[in-house]
Amino acid sequence: TLMNVEGTRNMAEAAQQVGAHLVHISTDFIFDGKDGPYKEEAVPNPVSHYGWTKLEAEGIVKGLEHYSILRTVLVIGMAEDLSRSNIVLWAKGALEKGDPISVVDDQFRTPTLAEDLAQGALLAADQKAQGVFNISGPDYMSIFELVAQVAEHFGLTMDTVTRVDSSTLTQPAKRPPITGFDISKARKEMGYAPHTFKQPLAIIATQAGL
């Protein structure tokens, strides 16, 4: 809450004081996951505390005269000294080690390359694009399908993967089952052009020196 809500409030107040256009990053977790993929005008209904704090932050930003809210989904990528991994790196590491892993097949997303999210933020800032925009990858898939594509790309076996549904897992916070985004507005109005999912796998492999 402190970072997502109060941090956003501080940024919004600073932007208001200097007349800046604020670009704010939001999330698919503001939705309940019952009716994805979502368009910008879909009605939010978070199922977790995190989702509620991000929705509250959006409300703060919408009080500004000049803003872009960029909603994104399941960001993947490679960077030095990552504070935490992402699903591609986690899956690759587990498959290489042969660790038994359970992967859900009833949660669906549109994975987003970090560089594509950065592209969306730059486009929004350069164009001072007003309003809410979905910024994600173009490919809609289950988490299981994502891991299977990682295995195929890196030549790894899925023999140690157990396909499960979310009800079998104990997760610290509830996750919306079906999200993902319709990105046609960002494509049309900002010229947003994301990579397909197979392209990020190659990019991440190159960045990781694989």
Side-chain angles (χ1 to χ4, degrees), residues 20-206:
H21 182 100
L22 181 64
V23 178
H24 174 75
I25 307 299
S26 191
T27 172
D28 59 323
F29 275 40
I30 65 167
F31 297 108
D32 57 21
K34 295 179 180 178
D35 197 27
Y38 291 95
K39 292 187 176 182
E40 284 82 357
E41 61 268 22
V43 179
N45 183 34
V47 294
S48 67
H49 176 71
Y50 169 74
W52 280 110
T53 63
K54 293 297 287 184
L55 182 58
E56 187 174 350
E58 282 198 12
I60 293 168
V61 174
K62 287 178 178 178
L64 296 173
E65 186 176 355
H66 305 292
Y67 70 87
S68 305
I69 292 174
L70 308 184
R71 294 173 179 159
T72 194
V73 183
L74 195 64
V75 178
I76 58 175
M78 187 70 200
E80 293 293 330
D81 301 321
L82 284 172
S83 60
R84 61 181 181 178
S85 187
N86 62 66
I87 192 165
V88 169
L89 298 177
W90 168 80
K92 179 180 177 295
L95 294 171
E96 282 178 333
K97 294 174 187 174
D99 292 343
I101 56 174
S102 296
V103 180
V104 293
D105 63 0
D106 60 348
Q107 291 182 11
F108 291 79
R109 305 287 187 259
T110 47
T112 310
L113 180 64
E115 284 85 345
D116 286 340
L117 177 56
Q119 175 204 159
L122 287 170
L123 288 169
D126 288 344
Q127 299 173 24
K128 293 183 170 54
Q130 183 68 23
V132 178
F133 296 86
N134 290 338
I135 299 292
S136 77
D139 297 320
Y140 175 73
M141 66 190 70
S142 72
I143 303 301
F144 184 86
E145 290 169 331
L146 185 157
V147 172
Q149 288 202 39
V150 171
E152 180 182 358
H153 181 84
F154 292 105
L156 301 168
T157 179
M158 291 279 285
D159 291 348
T160 57
V161 178
T162 301
R163 187 173 187 152
V164 300
D165 63 67
S166 301
S167 65
T168 66
L169 301 181
T170 303
Q171 295 177 314
K174 190 174 181 182
R175 288 168 169 75
I178 302 173
T179 65
F181 285 141
D182 179 330
I183 57 173
S184 55
K185 179 183 177 183
R187 285 185 184 275
K188 181 178 179 181
E189 296 188 16
M190 293 199 303
Y192 175 61
H195 296 78
T196 64
F197 183 69
K198 290 186 183 298
Q199 291 171 316
L201 294 181
I203 290 169
I204 292 169
T206 299

